Amino acid sequence: MPKVIFVGSDGPQHIVDAQPGDSVMSAAVRNGVPGILAECGGNQSCATCHVWVREEFAERVGPPGDMEDDLLDLAVAERRETSRLACQITLTQELSGLTVDIPPES
């Protein structure tokens, strides 16, 4: 069972268990992780599940697709090199321990 570590902008960590095939967003929503609003429900039509993937996982997670890349330009928080939409990261056992930072709401 993959684990995901969410680090809030004000410091608290939330460690959640997920099922392989879950998105990072769905794992966050199901476990009540603050800061992941997911207003579009994972339909890749907003940027309210924007996260910063920790550098050590960036290569395994991979870059955003074209549509995701466009949406990240609209995110409220600062866009970084490892910015991703949590709804577009599919969890696998190889991603267990994935750590993402939740940007502060601006």
Side-chain angles (χ1 to χ4, degrees):
M1 183 172 288
K3 290 193 181 303
V4 183
I5 303 164
F6 296 90
V7 181
S9 61
D10 54 353
Q13 287 189 1
H14 301 274
I15 301 171
V16 303
D17 290 322
Q19 296 294 321
D22 281 351
S23 71
V24 170
M25 182 218 68
S26 64
V29 169
R30 190 172 48 255
N31 288 281
V33 175
I36 303 290
L37 302 178
E39 289 177 356
C40 74
N43 291 311
Q44 197 173 343
S45 61
C46 72
T48 60
C49 67
H50 177 208
V51 294
W52 298 317
V53 174
R54 291 278 175 100
E55 193 62 44
E56 61 268 23
F57 285 95
E59 190 173 309
R60 281 185 264 171
V61 168
D66 291 339
M67 196 154 100
E68 180 182 0
D69 190 53
D70 290 343
L71 285 169
L72 285 166
D73 287 337
L74 303 174
V76 174
E78 166 195 1
R79 182 172 180 173
R80 295 184 179 173
E81 192 172 313
T82 61
S83 285
R84 290 294 309 270
L85 297 181
C87 67
Q88 297 302 300
I89 302 171
T90 302
L91 292 166
T92 62
Q93 194 57 46
E94 292 75 28
L95 285 177
S96 188
L98 173 65
T99 304
V100 297
D101 294 292
I102 301 170
E105 294 179 35
S106 299

